[in-house]
């Protein structure tokens, strides 16, 4: 079927739920999500892996639009048809001190939009594979998802290699519904960027050179970069000059802010700032840095998602389109 994939719905970082009680990476989940409202022909599953989309799945195009279901002929209408649009968001929050990592967390959320030829809610199975055991905790949203992991069967071909299984029931709507969230293990520590800072004092001036480098292994360009550099009180922030021009002094937060549209994989850029010093005799000041950005059409874990119909409830041809994104919050302290 021709068409385009869904865009990723907005999921503010502050709205990410921190998983609560413990869960093993075997096949056990906790059902504590309460916030937010939110294809296969019989015998065939529509699926998508994190490293490439398979048959019946389209990767996200740049225009990001979602196509409505077209008209159905008699044979298609007889067995039903479901189009599942899935948005996979992952958030990486990490802190470094003197270029050595001190903390790292990765949390993800799966959101679903359903288009169907039925006027009623059409449930389907959502299957999750975790080949590298990246997931440490997973929580389903009880309002829209039922955990069927314990019912996984070695005798069911569709369950082969599946680590988590959920029954999903969401209304037909234009918006997306969060159906599950997960937290990755501490062993998963990707490094999308590297931040380096060099400070020099000379003739009553303090010069700061900042270099941001993108990891060549990134799947796509980093976009919408915001670089925030804290300025200590012994430095006269109002005397700021930057090269290249574009750095903005924020007196209320004593910080300099730069915005960069994109940074390609393996690329780097440098920013320089110069200030006048209050006391040239004091020790070299420190400038903490925070970088925020995102990477579309990519993810940090290697989890894989599949959808399948529930023949006993609503036999249908199920198709899936997947949109992926990860966001980064990187702190660097000297």
């Amino acid at each position: 079927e021709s068409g385009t994939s869904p865009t990723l719905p907005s999921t503010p970082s502050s709205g990410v739920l921190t998983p609560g009680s413990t869960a093993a990476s075997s096949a056990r989940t906790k059902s504590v999500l309460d916030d937010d409202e939110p294809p296969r022909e019989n015998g065939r599953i529509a699926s998508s892996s994190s490293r490439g989309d398979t048959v019946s799945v389209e990767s996200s195009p740049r225009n990001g639009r979602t196509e409505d279901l077209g008209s159905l002929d008699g044979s298609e209408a007889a067995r039903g048809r479901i189009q599942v649009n899935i948005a996979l968001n992952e958030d990486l929050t990490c802190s470094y001190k003197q270029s050595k990592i001190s903390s790292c967390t990765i949390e993800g959320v799966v959101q679903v939009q359903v288009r169907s030829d039925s006027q009623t809610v059409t449930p389907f199975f959502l299957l999750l594979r975790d080949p590298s055991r990246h997931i440490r905790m997973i929580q389903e949203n009880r309002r829209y998802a039922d955990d069927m992991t314990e019912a996984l069967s070695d005798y069911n071909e569709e369950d082969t290699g599946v680590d988590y299984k959920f029954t999903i029931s969401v209304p037909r709507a234009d918006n997306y519904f969060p159906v599950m969230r997960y937290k990755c293990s501490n062993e998963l520590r990707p490094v999308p960027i590297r931040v380096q800072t060099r400070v020099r004092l000379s003739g009553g001036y303090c010069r700061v050179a900042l270099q941001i480098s993108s990891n060549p292994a990134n799947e796509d360009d980093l976009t919408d970069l915001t670089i925030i550099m804290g300025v200590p009180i012994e430095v006269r922030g109002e005397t700021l000059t930057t090269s290249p021009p574009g750095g903005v002094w924020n007196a209320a937060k004593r910080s300099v802010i730069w915005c960069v549209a994109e940074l390609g994989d393996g690329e780097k850029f440098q920013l320089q700032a110069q200030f006048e010093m209050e006391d040239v005799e004091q020790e070299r000041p420190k400038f903490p840095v925070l970088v925020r950005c995102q990477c579309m059409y990519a993810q940090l874990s290697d989890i894989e998602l599949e959808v399948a119909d529930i023949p006993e409830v609503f036999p249908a041809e199920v198709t899936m389109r997947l949109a992926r994104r990860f966001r980064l919050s990187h702190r660097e302290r000297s």
Side-chain angles (χ1 to χ4, degrees):
E1 177 188 359
S2 62
T4 55
S5 303
T7 54
L8 284 157
S10 175
T11 310
S13 300
S14 59
V16 173
L17 177 69
T18 302
S21 51
T22 59
S25 63
S26 56
R28 299 296 179 265
T29 62
K30 293 293 180 181
S31 307
V32 299
L33 253 184
D34 298 316
D35 62 329
D36 295 315
E37 281 191 75
R40 81 170 196 178
E41 191 170 344
N42 289 341
R44 221 178 65 184
I45 300 176
S47 64
S48 174
S49 71
S50 64
R51 299 296 172 240
D53 296 327
T54 60
V55 176
S56 298
V57 183
E58 293 182 13
S59 60
S60 303
R62 299 270 176 179
N63 60 18
R65 294 177 300 172
T66 303
E67 178 184 320
D68 290 333
L69 284 175
S71 58
L72 304 175
D73 60 30
S75 60
E76 289 175 325
R79 68 168 179 266
R81 190 174 175 188
I82 306 174
Q83 177 179 302
V84 181
N85 297 324
I86 296 181
L88 175 65
N89 287 279
E90 293 187 331
D91 288 286
L92 167 61
T93 303
C94 56
S95 295
Y96 287 76
K97 187 169 184 178
Q98 296 179 342
S99 298
K100 294 183 179 180
I101 191 167
S102 55
S103 67
C104 178
T105 61
I106 299 174
E107 296 183 351
V109 59
V110 177
Q111 296 174 289
V112 169
Q113 178 197 59
V114 170
R115 301 296 178 88
S116 169
D117 58 342
S118 172
Q119 298 302 314
T120 61
V121 173
T122 52
F124 61 92
F125 285 132
L126 178 61
L127 312 176
L128 189 152
R129 303 178 191 274
D130 183 20
S132 299
R133 296 296 181 263
H134 285 156
I135 293 180
R136 181 163 62 92
M137 299 179 187
I138 189 166
Q139 302 171 305
E140 78 276 14
N141 185 340
R142 284 181 174 180
R143 192 179 304 176
Y144 306 114
D146 291 322
D147 184 9
M148 303 292 292
T149 302
E150 292 187 356
L152 287 171
S153 171
D154 293 334
Y155 303 101
N156 188 341
E157 184 178 347
E158 295 176 0
D159 292 346
T160 303
V162 174
D163 295 291
Y164 302 94
K165 184 176 184 179
F166 301 90
T167 299
I168 306 297
S169 301
V170 299
R172 284 180 26 163
D174 291 333
N175 55 305
Y176 284 72
F177 300 90
V179 296
M180 69 186 67
R181 300 178 188 250
Y182 56 90
K183 188 171 183 177
C184 293
S185 66
N186 295 330
E187 285 71 32
L188 179 60
R189 291 194 170 189
V191 186
I193 64 171
R194 184 183 182 191
V195 179
Q196 296 171 286
T197 305
R198 186 173 68 253
V199 180
R200 291 177 56 191
L201 301 179
S202 177
Y205 289 93
C206 176
R207 294 182 176 89
V208 185
L210 182 63
Q211 179 171 285
I212 311 292
S213 306
S214 173
N215 192 330
N218 290 338
E219 289 186 66
D220 213 309
D221 295 346
L222 301 176
T223 61
D224 304 314
L225 290 89
T226 300
I227 302 99
I228 304 173
M229 184 177 72
V231 177
I233 57 174
E234 61 266 26
V235 174
R236 297 179 59 191
E238 68 276 8
T239 65
L240 167 73
T241 58
T242 62
S243 177
V248 178
W249 167 244
N250 185 325
K253 296 184 177 181
R254 292 200 60 82
S255 63
V256 182
I257 302 175
W258 290 271
C259 294
V260 178
E262 64 179 21
L263 180 63
D265 52 281
E267 294 182 351
K268 64 181 66 174
F269 66 85
Q270 292 185 346
L271 302 170
Q272 295 184 12
Q274 179 175 286
F275 307 88
E276 294 180 8
M277 293 285 294
E278 294 287 357
D279 182 1
V280 296
E281 300 299 327
Q282 60 189 342
E283 64 180 27
R284 183 176 301 175
K286 296 180 179 180
F287 295 82
V289 176
L290 170 63
V291 179
R292 293 194 181 104
C293 60
Q294 66 177 356
C295 185
M296 303 297 292
Y297 323 113
Q299 65 190 81
L300 300 164
S301 70
D302 64 356
I303 68 167
E304 303 168 2
L305 299 171
E306 298 178 355
V307 292
D309 70 340
I310 308 177
E312 301 82 4
V313 179
F314 189 81
E317 177 186 355
V318 186
T319 57
M320 182 182 82
R321 293 192 178 101
L322 175 68
R324 301 176 297 148
R325 171 182 67 179
F326 75 78
R327 294 177 298 190
L328 170 66
S329 177
H330 179 116
R331 293 181 181 274
E332 188 82 30
R333 299 179 182 276
S334 55

